Amino acid sequence: MTRRDIEFGAEGVTLRGWFYPSEAAGESHPTIVMAHGFSAVKEQYLDRYAEVFADAGLNALVFDNRNFGDSDGEPRQEIDPWQQIRDYRHAITYATTLGEVNDDRIGVWGSSYSGGHVLVVSAIDRRVKAVVSQGAMVDGYRNLRRLVRPDFLGGFRAQFDADRLARFNGDAPATVPVVDENPLAPSALPTADSYQWFTHSGSTIAPNWRNEVTLRSVEMFGEYVPADFVEYISPTPLLMLPAVDDVLTPTDLAIETYERARAPKRIEILPGGHFDIYTDGFAQSSALACDWFVKYLVG
């Protein structure tokens, strides 16, 4: 599999990633634009999905979100969901400048936090002709309240307010770990499977992943509700792939969001938990996504 490093401008910030050219014959092909979820970098299994797509005759354009991995951007380790949505659109624009890309056959793929992003992107950007959203974070307001004990929420709000005042006075943004071995310790993603997946993948395949995000990233997570856009995706074909035992981005919220979407749409509920999608469930999740894109982008 041949891939090449890419970089492109995004409102003054350089984003970097990989381009996987289609293995099919011909000069231009449908292209899937891909980025990762909350704090993750492209090395955390996105190469495997891109390879499946390229083998099936699709180009794949994979990039690190701004402020993370190989991409530029400040402050480092800060996640602004709306900026990441704009960067998906910058990546689509960049893709259309490449000779290998068929401008009329663009798909977007997202997972976890970016699984929510692609719901928004496909609703507002009609260059997108097919979308796959796996393990999606669909409602940050409700999701945060599933992850954080009610008696801890007041403490979080106090930290957000103190950080806002400190930034106003010129201090650097406060940070918190993405994960912690103790689920009751302060962290952005306080589940046992989050700790296991991030620490394992970070130590084995993604050494540039950092266990840190700005506190403001958690605040913005709780303000972000991509489900509000799902009714506007149609007529773009939507495939949603929630996991049956997802405790990080709860399964019932994803199913509820899917029910609000209009046709053409399909849902497949995958076995296991949130992170099994990338590992034990990779063959199934990648095949379903690939088949969806081939159906609607290749025909």
Side-chain angles (χ1 to χ4, degrees), residues 142-211:
R142 294 164 70 188
N143 206 147
L144 187 66
R145 284 153 180 78
R146 297 284 188 93
L147 292 174
V148 179
R149 280 175 33 177
D151 55 327
F152 286 6
L153 281 173
F156 257 121
R157 293 192 191 99
Q159 291 178 57
F160 295 155
D161 293 343
D163 179 51
R164 188 174 298 278
L165 179 60
R167 297 195 317 268
F168 179 82
N169 289 326
D171 293 343
T175 61
V176 293
V178 178
V179 294
D180 192 283
E181 187 172 13
N182 178 3
L184 297 181
S187 69
L189 305 178
T191 69
D193 59 345
S194 297
Y195 176 78
Q196 293 165 0
W197 186 85
F198 275 106
T199 54
H200 174 73
S201 62
S203 63
T204 57
I205 58 175
N208 60 344
W209 175 76
R210 289 170 52 188
N211 188 18

Side-chain angles (χ1 to χ4, degrees), residues 60-75:
L61 192 159
V62 184
F63 68 98
D64 275 329
N65 290 304
R66 71 171 59 208
N67 309 335
F68 289 86
D70 293 329
S71 289
D72 293 344
E74 297 288 342

